[in-house]
Amino acid sequence: MSESIAFRSKNSASQTKLISQLERQFTTITQLLYTTSVPGALLDRQLLPYIADDIIFKDPWQEGGNKQLYRIGMKGFHNMFHFTFDTFQLNVKLNDDGITGRCIVDGIMNLQQFSWIYTYPLRSIFVYEFRLINSQNIDEPQFEIFRHEEMWSFADMIDGIPGVGWLYKNLFRRGFGYFFVGLSAISCVVHDRFIQATKKKE
């Protein structure tokens, strides 16, 4: 019994160390991807080994890909835009099969295209789905990302626009909130009267 407990404890400690190392690697991957001042040659060298041939990229505007298309899109993103990224949370979870897993990153993409005027913040969530290639080496586990999804809302995009964002947040959203509550109050009155009328008929 004690040997069984020791075995489970060892496995648990190994998995904790594996996940911790994966989180460090995904932190580096995220910074490489979303710090657009990183040169293309460095992306090829440090990032492409983690990208699966069958990778799919998805965001609110697009979906599709493979490794070659992903590489072109990644480099184009770095060439066309000037972004930095602030990470709030990063978490890795292995699936029950012990081979695949997910990494979720929560943070803010900062568009600094016109930073002398304004840095545009966009709250973002990234989800990387990956498969382990060699989970035995917990000090430097090998894996490949087969799905990469960006999630951000159009509401946050509007909210980040100077002037327009203030109107959207303080007038439109607040006004719509009162409008929705008013409709809800009317629906409650109508619903209650309908129930009362139904009871009287019974």
Side-chain angles (χ1 to χ4, degrees):
M1 185 62 128
S2 60
E3 288 182 2
S4 176
I5 294 173
F7 178 76
R8 287 199 300 269
S9 177
K10 182 179 179 181
N11 279 353
S12 177
S14 296
Q15 188 172 72
T16 299
K17 186 174 181 180
L18 171 63
I19 289 175
S20 178
Q21 182 57 34
L22 287 169
E23 288 177 345
R24 281 193 288 270
Q25 288 173 269
F26 273 107
T27 297
T28 300
I29 287 170
T30 300
Q31 288 304 317
L32 286 170
L33 278 171
Y34 293 98
T35 303
T36 54
S37 59
V38 174
L42 187 62
L43 290 172
D44 281 347
R45 187 168 64 252
Q46 294 195 9
L47 189 61
L48 280 186
Y50 293 108
I51 305 302
D53 291 335
D54 59 346
I55 188 169
I56 296 293
F57 176 79
K58 180 180 180 181
D59 71 11
W61 291 102
Q62 59 184 318
E63 180 175 1
N66 56 49
K67 189 170 186 174
Q68 184 57 28
L69 293 178
Y70 185 90
R71 178 176 180 266
I72 294 170
M74 172 183 70
K75 289 193 168 185
F77 175 71
H78 280 63
N79 291 336
M80 293 185 290
F81 299 102
H82 185 193
F83 273 100
T84 59
F85 185 75
D86 298 325
T87 301
F88 293 160
Q89 297 181 65
L90 186 149
N91 177 260
V92 169
K93 184 179 185 301
L94 292 177
N95 297 328
D96 292 339
D97 60 14
I99 298 172
T100 59
R102 302 172 82 233
C103 174
I104 299 180
V105 184
D106 175 15
I108 288 184
M109 294 173 63
N110 302 292
L111 177 60
Q112 299 180 331
Q113 208 82 2
F114 307 103
S115 58
W116 63 90
I117 302 174
Y118 181 66
T119 296
Y120 185 93
L122 181 60
R123 182 71 180 271
S124 307
I125 295 176
F126 309 139
V127 177
Y128 306 99
E129 294 186 46
F130 64 92
R131 60 177 72 95
L132 292 170
I133 299 171
N134 177 13
S135 60
Q136 303 304 314
N137 183 3
I138 60 176
D139 292 320
E140 193 173 350
Q142 297 176 354
F143 60 89
E144 57 182 13
I145 301 166
F146 61 86
R147 184 177 178 86
H148 173 195
E149 182 174 0
E150 290 180 7
M151 289 177 278
W152 31 266
S153 72
F154 291 109
D156 285 345
M157 292 183 70
I158 296 171
D159 196 25
I161 301 173
V164 175
W166 186 91
L167 292 171
Y168 172 72
K169 182 167 55 178
N170 292 284
L171 296 182
F172 176 79
R173 293 183 75 172
R174 187 169 295 180
F176 188 83
Y178 284 116
F179 174 71
F180 180 78
V181 170
L183 284 180
S184 298
I186 292 171
S187 73
C188 290
V189 172
V190 172
H191 180 264
D192 291 346
R193 287 185 178 178
F194 175 78
I195 291 176
Q196 290 173 1
T198 303
K199 285 183 177 178
K200 286 179 180 179
K201 289 180 180 179
E202 292 175 353

